[in-house]
Amino acid sequence: MTTQPVKDTDTEPTIGQLVADASRDVSALLKKEIELAKSELKVSVRYGGAGIVFFLTAAFVAVLALVLLSWAFVYLIHWNGSGLDLHWAFLIVTGAYLLIAGLFVLLGVRKVKRVRAPERSIRQAKEIPAALKGKA
């Protein structure tokens, strides 16, 4: 029969041992958190990629529908020969699309003019070197 050595319960770990243990535990915890984040990101990227493919497919189908709708408007304006001639019908539909595109350009320019630099973040980033030197 083997007996295990009895540990001396009077000796406590040193501060160095405690710091080393804490450092090791924090390091292991951080590694596990990073692994968890990576696995969650892989799932999110997979679903996000599939979602993007579905959105692109929907956009393509919508463009095809817009083309067909354009032809329908042209033939509606033409009305089997009793309306305007086909060349005028095509010009009217094209002009309507150009007006709509111009409206979206105008709205886009207005939104882009509102874009500003992240001033607060830049200001805080400039304060970091002084804070690290203890001059904050």
Side-chain angles (χ1 to χ4, degrees):
M1 191 179 340
T2 359
T3 59
Q4 293 183 351
V6 178
K7 288 185 179 178
D8 189 8
T9 57
D10 292 336
T11 61
E12 294 183 10
T14 64
I15 292 178
Q17 291 172 333
L18 291 174
V19 169
D21 289 346
S23 175
R24 184 187 67 242
D25 292 344
V26 167
S27 176
L29 177 64
L30 287 175
K31 285 180 184 177
K32 294 296 181 185
E33 288 293 330
I34 290 171
E35 288 177 21
L36 176 63
K38 283 181 181 179
S39 66
E40 288 176 345
L41 282 175
K42 284 180 185 177
V43 171
S44 295
V45 166
R46 189 177 318 128
Y47 286 136
I52 288 172
V53 168
F54 288 134
F55 283 131
L56 290 175
T57 304
F60 176 72
V61 171
V63 167
L64 293 178
L66 183 65
V67 169
L68 289 176
L69 184 64
S70 300
W71 279 87
F73 284 147
V74 166
Y75 280 101
L76 179 69
I77 294 170
H78 180 60
W79 201 259
N80 284 337
S82 60
L84 293 176
D85 290 333
L86 274 177
H87 63 279
W88 290 113
F90 275 107
L91 284 173
I92 290 170
V93 172
T94 302
Y97 282 139
L98 288 175
L99 286 174
I100 292 170
L103 175 67
F104 281 118
V105 167
L106 179 66
L107 292 173
V109 167
R110 284 186 179 177
K111 291 294 181 183
V112 168
K113 284 184 178 181
R114 288 184 170 184
V115 173
R116 302 282 183 245
E119 296 165 2
R120 189 183 318 164
S121 298
I122 292 171
R123 186 174 55 245
Q124 286 179 348
K126 288 180 180 179
E127 293 174 1
I128 290 174
L132 289 176
K133 292 178 184 176
K135 298 177 182 180

